[in-house]
């Protein structure tokens, strides 16, 4: 039995399904540049910061451009994305999430958000979850993006837990790598063949139980 004392949740793809919105926005930008972009390539962008994602797309098309233009495109992508996500409501919280938050609360297990997204405050507000987390660490406060463990290490620190006592819930390859690099347990949410480094993979959040965390 493990000694899990705290839980850190990724946001996009774990708490809310913003993956399609990111995909639509990135695909619009990529196609405007004449760069083909599909869901397999989008998989590689999960968990990756906005600017790094833009640079990965440009690399796919062997396109080079000045830093200022890259920033302008990134801004354009975010405008498309925010237009979609700002319409989110509590109904967009992924199945299983609210029940699991209640379980953690009933067992006095502190929880944090550890996300690369600079839109974290907007999303949490739209879905009504801002006040449910003991700490929120997002792309606005970290300097190194996943797979660097900074976002999760900061979360653990704010929760007053040592990394070895934390479990991270992640849907991204980069996020699983970040959790493991930080010395934490990691439950992947998605497909085992993609989230290979996770300690356990569940298909979705309805499959998460306290028992599974304690047995890691
Ligand atoms: C991550 C997403 O959570 O946040 C990535 O998985 C996204 O796809 C990154 O690029 C940054 O998000 P945002 O909202 O700051 O552009
Ligand atoms: Mg994610």
């Amino acid at each position: 039995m493990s000694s899990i004392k705290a839980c850190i949740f990724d946001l996009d793809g774990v708490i809310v399904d913003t993956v399609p919105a990111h995909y639509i926005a990135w695909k619009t930008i990529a196609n405007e540049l004449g760069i083909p972009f599909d869901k397999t390539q989008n998989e590689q962008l999960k968990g990756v910061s906005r600017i790094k994602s833009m640079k990965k797309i440009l690399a796919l098309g062997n396109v080079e451009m000045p830093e200022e233009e890259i920033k302008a495109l990134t801004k354009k992508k975010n405008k498309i994305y925010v237009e979609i996500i700002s319409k989110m409501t509590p109904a967009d919280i992924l199945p299983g999430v609210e029940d699991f938050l209640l379980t953690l609360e009933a067992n006095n297990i502190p929880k944090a958000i550890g996300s690369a997204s600079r839109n974290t405050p907007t999303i949490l507000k739209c879905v009504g979850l801002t006040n449910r987390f003991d700490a929120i660490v997002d792309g606005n406060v970290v300097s190194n993006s996943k797979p660097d463990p900074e976002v999760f290490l900061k979360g653990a620190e704010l929760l007053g837990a040592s990394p070895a006592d934390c479990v991270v819930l992640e849907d991204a390859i980069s996020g699983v790598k970040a959790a493991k690099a930080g010395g934490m347990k990691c439950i992947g949410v998605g497909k085992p063949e993609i989230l290979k480094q996770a300690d356990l993979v569940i298909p979705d959040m309805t499959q998460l139980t306290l028992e599974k965390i304690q047995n890691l």
Side-chain angles (χ1 to χ4, degrees):
M1 196 150 140
S2 69
S3 61
I4 296 301
K5 294 190 180 81
C7 231
I8 308 180
F9 293 78
D10 172 48
L11 176 69
D12 294 302
V14 171
I15 302 272
V16 282
D17 190 11
T18 47
V19 176
H22 277 298
Y23 177 59
I24 290 166
W26 283 131
K27 193 171 173 60
T28 305
I29 300 294
N31 292 357
E32 274 178 22
L33 294 166
I35 303 171
F37 184 72
D38 62 22
K39 289 192 173 164
T40 314
Q41 287 144 347
N42 193 52
E43 193 65 42
Q44 302 302 320
L45 303 186
K46 282 187 187 172
V48 177
S49 74
R50 203 180 301 168
I51 191 81
K52 274 199 181 163
S53 300
M54 186 69 247
K55 288 182 178 171
K56 277 185 183 241
I57 290 173
L58 293 174
L60 280 176
N62 285 318
V63 176
E64 284 184 25
M65 59 173 67
E67 204 65 27
E68 280 313 302
E69 281 177 44
I70 298 177
K71 278 195 187 139
L73 281 176
T74 315
K75 213 170 156 189
K76 193 170 166 191
K77 180 267 175 180
N78 195 50
K79 205 165 167 249
I80 303 170
Y81 177 68
V82 169
E83 213 170 299
I84 307 172
I85 55 149
S86 52
K87 295 192 185 85
M88 290 181 115
T89 70
D92 291 296
I93 298 170
L94 282 167
V97 170
E98 287 188 281
D99 279 348
F100 192 67
L101 294 181
L102 287 171
T103 302
L104 293 177
E105 284 156 11
N107 288 276
N108 293 319
I109 299 176
K111 47 191 165 3
I113 290 282
S115 169
S117 174
R118 294 171 65 192
N119 290 302
T120 297
T122 308
I123 296 172
L124 289 177
K125 191 165 176 239
C126 285
V127 302
L129 289 179
T130 309
N131 298 322
R132 296 289 291 279
F133 293 91
D134 304 287
I136 295 172
V137 187
D138 64 22
N140 298 296
V141 294
V142 294
S143 354
N144 305 299
S145 74
K146 300 171 188 177
D148 187 285
E150 183 186 1
V151 68
F152 296 137
L153 291 175
K154 272 210 168 116
E157 193 187 326
L158 290 172
L159 295 180
S162 69
D165 292 338
C166 293
V167 63
V168 169
L169 291 148
E170 255 298 346
D171 71 317
I173 301 165
S174 62
V176 173
K177 283 188 179 154
K180 296 314 292 175
M184 300 173 184
K185 296 275 189 219
C186 183
I187 297 188
V189 184
K191 297 196 172 97
E193 61 272 27
I194 293 179
L195 305 173
K196 292 186 189 108
Q197 287 184 39
D199 297 291
L200 172 76
V201 179
I202 52 173
D204 60 63
M205 291 291 281
T206 64
Q207 301 305 305
L208 189 57
T209 60
L210 204 53
E211 212 183 359
K212 280 187 184 157
I213 285 183
Q214 281 156 350
N215 288 335
L216 282 172

